[in-house]
Amino acid sequence: MKRLLIIGYVWPEPTSSAAGSRMMQLIKLFLVRNYEVIYASPARASEYAINFEELGITKKKITANSSDFDTYVKELSPQVVMFDRFMMEEQFGWRVAENCPHAIRILDTEDLHFFRKARYEALKKRRTLVREDLHSDEAKREIASILRCDLSLIISEAEVDLLARKFKVNPSILHYIPLLAPSISEEKIKKLPSYEKRKDFVFIGNFLHQPNWDSVLYLKEKIWPFIRKELPKARLLIYGAYASQKVEQLQNKHQGFIVKGRAEDAQNVLKKARVLLAPLRFGAGIKGKFIDAMLAGTPSITTTIGAEGICGKYPWPGEIANEEKAIVEEAIKIYDKPKRWQKVQQNGFQIINERFQENRFAEQFFEELENIQQDLEKHRNQNFLGAMLMHHTLQSTKYMSKWIEAKNKLEQQ
């Protein structure tokens, strides 16, 4: 039995975020192929985290800047190690390379953090994205992490293109694997609530994720008042995990702006709504809310950034608009016109069935993994920049970590 060690930034919460769902999708791909899976993290426990024991997954609490991990990982001797976001590769990648040199090191980026932050900086300055925004310290860290790994999982085609074209990252160490979804059959479609049985607009998203908070604030101040004026009976229901007081204070029942908080089942929430309204002004990766909406048969209104990496050559299941006036107009049209609503709903079913099917991507991923396993040395020799970065990481990060460990031990005496 092959062994997979995942080093997690957090304990996965599938009901809280798309990142949690993504991690569980990847884990299940390995379980189906009879891998023994161990999930380790230095993060604090969460009451909403998945119950690993029920899935037959070993849970391990680890500590950063501690040689205890070296002993642990050497004894475990995994064939594959997957880092959940680049911060975990920075912390533990050199330790894995030193103690398990033959283990394949995979980075699951979730989304490109530096890309999301670059867009945020441009938004704050009220201008379009420029080259300097992308050339940040965050970009240098994240791309260095990608180069040090044997394979990086990239969730969006737009991000693969950015890394390969803009930053000249060797495509042989990049693997596109999006969020995965079950197929939607005609039988499933017939069971979905009809246009007439649905009402209201909905927004859903984890509020620890800054693009979601920005989008809700944007809706409250710039979008919803104008929609509500034309559709006085409609409401906008705001769902999301970790809704802080600043989110809850936005509630205004008189205006039909209702903050609901955590959704235990995103699909049930979306199936009741007529339209998902999510004009995201910055972000990266693939936004899970739109995949969930398509599975629920719920059309959506979003921006070019919100739709990025999802529909490919197919029409969007709703409308894409970037200007406030256009967002308002398109939202009203979709909400108030049954025939148009039904037409764009079909677009979502097509996108799910043509672009996000698990079987296709799972097969490609494990073929790639097997090819790397068969000649790991050759694969690494083709990535000289990665080897160079790992060499310098072992010289710098390694000794900084050892210094922190020694300092912590002295403080405990």
Side-chain angles (χ1 to χ4, degrees):
M1 181 180 284
K2 291 182 179 179
R3 189 172 290 146
L4 165 69
L5 171 64
I6 300 172
I7 301 178
Y9 181 65
V10 295
W11 301 102
E13 297 181 22
T15 62
S16 298
S17 69
S21 297
R22 157 75 162 190
M23 178 52 69
M24 293 313 302
Q25 287 176 359
L26 294 176
I27 287 174
K28 287 174 182 176
L29 293 184
F30 281 94
L31 289 175
V32 166
R33 283 156 183 82
N34 296 317
Y35 273 75
E36 178 188 356
V37 178
I38 301 95
Y39 192 98
S41 178
R44 292 181 180 179
S46 164
E47 63 177 303
Y48 299 106
I50 197 78
N51 188 329
F52 281 125
E53 288 76 11
E54 289 182 354
L55 298 172
I57 298 167
T58 303
K59 182 178 177 181
K60 174 70 176 178
K61 175 73 174 176
I62 54 176
T63 304
N65 302 312
S66 172
S67 56
D68 290 346
F69 178 82
D70 300 350
T71 304
Y72 169 72
V73 77
K74 193 168 187 176
E75 290 178 356
L76 187 67
S77 190
Q79 283 77 31
V80 182
V81 177
M82 183 160 65
F83 304 100
D84 169 29
R85 287 163 267 204
F86 77 92
M87 297 81 82
M88 291 297 95
E89 190 280 332
E90 285 181 329
Q91 282 279 351
F92 297 96
W94 67 269
R95 293 183 183 274
V96 171
E98 193 171 71
N99 293 284
C100 302
H102 302 298
I104 294 177
R105 300 188 302 275
I106 298 175
L107 173 63
D108 181 34
T109 58
E110 295 290 353
D111 66 12
L112 292 180
H113 293 59
F114 78 87
F115 195 21
R116 172 166 27 98
K117 289 192 175 183
R119 282 173 161 169
Y120 179 51
E121 290 303 314
L123 176 66
K124 284 196 299 183
K125 294 171 184 175
R126 298 183 179 181
R127 57 166 172 75
T128 56
L129 190 71
V130 296
R131 182 190 296 265
E132 288 71 24
D133 295 325
L134 291 170
H135 291 188
S136 62
D137 288 345
E138 188 97 4
K140 292 166 189 171
R141 288 175 58 196
E142 191 162 13
I143 294 173
S145 182
I146 288 169
L147 290 169
R148 284 192 296 264
C149 288
D150 299 311
L151 196 66
S152 288
L153 307 184
I154 312 298
I155 204 168
S156 165
E157 292 158 320
E159 294 185 351
V160 173
D161 186 69
L162 178 70
L163 291 168
R165 288 176 178 269
K166 169 71 177 172
F167 293 99
K168 310 301 181 187
V169 175
N170 190 335
S172 69
I173 62 170
L174 304 176
H175 189 87
Y176 167 60
I177 181 167
L179 290 172
L180 305 174
S183 62
I184 305 178
S185 64
E186 287 298 324
E187 186 179 350
K188 287 182 181 178
I189 292 171
K190 289 177 183 177
K191 291 180 180 178
L192 291 171
S194 65
Y195 170 90
E196 291 76 17
K197 291 183 179 178
R198 299 171 182 243
K199 63 178 182 177
D200 298 328
F201 292 86
V202 67
F203 176 93
I204 189 166
N206 186 323
F207 288 107
L208 295 180
H209 192 55
Q210 201 169 16
N212 288 328
W213 161 242
D214 174 80
S215 186
V216 167
L217 202 58
Y218 183 51
L219 284 168
K220 172 73 173 181
E221 295 175 352
K222 304 292 186 180
I223 306 297
W224 182 246
F226 300 99
I227 295 176
R228 175 74 171 186
K229 184 179 179 181
E230 297 299 319
L231 300 171
K233 292 183 180 180
R235 299 180 301 165
L236 174 56
L237 309 180
I238 306 296
Y239 284 90
Y242 301 104
S244 63
Q245 188 176 1
K246 68 179 181 180
V247 180
E248 293 170 353
Q249 285 178 341
L250 296 179
Q251 174 154 299
N252 188 317
K253 292 184 178 180
H254 179 70
Q255 295 176 351
F257 195 96
I258 312 299
V259 178
K260 294 290 221 176
R262 178 182 290 271
E264 295 302 326
D265 189 325
Q267 285 290 302
N268 283 343
V269 165
L270 287 162
K271 284 176 183 177
K272 294 174 183 177
R274 194 172 287 178
V275 175
L276 169 66
L277 188 56
L280 297 167
R281 299 195 292 174
F282 68 99
I286 287 179
K287 294 75 182 174
K289 57 175 66 62
F290 300 113
I291 305 297
D292 286 336
M294 287 185 277
L295 289 168
T298 307
S300 56
I301 308 295
T302 190
T303 59
T304 302
I305 287 175
E308 185 175 74
I310 294 178
C311 58
K313 65 180 181 180
Y314 302 101
W316 184 254
E319 292 295 342
I320 299 171
N322 296 305
E323 301 299 325
E324 291 161 15
K325 184 179 178 183
I327 293 169
V328 170
E329 290 175 351
E330 297 300 339
I332 293 168
K333 287 177 186 176
I334 295 291
Y335 189 88
D336 218 25
K337 295 185 182 298
K339 288 185 179 179
R340 187 170 181 177
W341 186 92
Q342 290 161 2
K343 181 180 179 180
V344 298
Q345 182 194 50
Q346 293 298 317
N347 296 342
F349 301 145
Q350 185 178 33
I351 290 168
I352 290 293
N353 287 337
E354 296 294 334
R355 286 182 52 79
F356 295 99
Q357 287 306 289
E358 179 180 310
N359 292 342
R360 171 190 162 198
F361 290 102
E363 186 176 339
Q364 291 174 350
F365 173 48
F366 283 96
E367 281 181 7
E368 180 78 7
L369 204 56
E370 188 175 339
N371 289 336
I372 294 172
Q373 284 173 328
Q374 287 176 353
D375 202 338
L376 182 58
E377 185 177 355
K378 180 181 177 181
H379 180 78
R380 287 176 176 170
N381 286 339
Q382 293 173 342
N383 180 21
F384 179 77
L385 285 178
M388 180 179 68
L389 285 167
M390 181 57 76
H391 169 79
H392 286 291
T393 298
L394 283 168
Q395 303 307 312
S396 56
T397 309
K398 172 180 177 177
Y399 290 105
M400 174 59 76
S401 182
K402 286 184 175 293
W403 178 81
I404 292 171
E405 182 180 8
K407 180 174 176 287
N408 291 339
K409 285 180 179 178
L410 284 172
E411 288 176 353
Q412 291 169 6
Q413 290 177 358

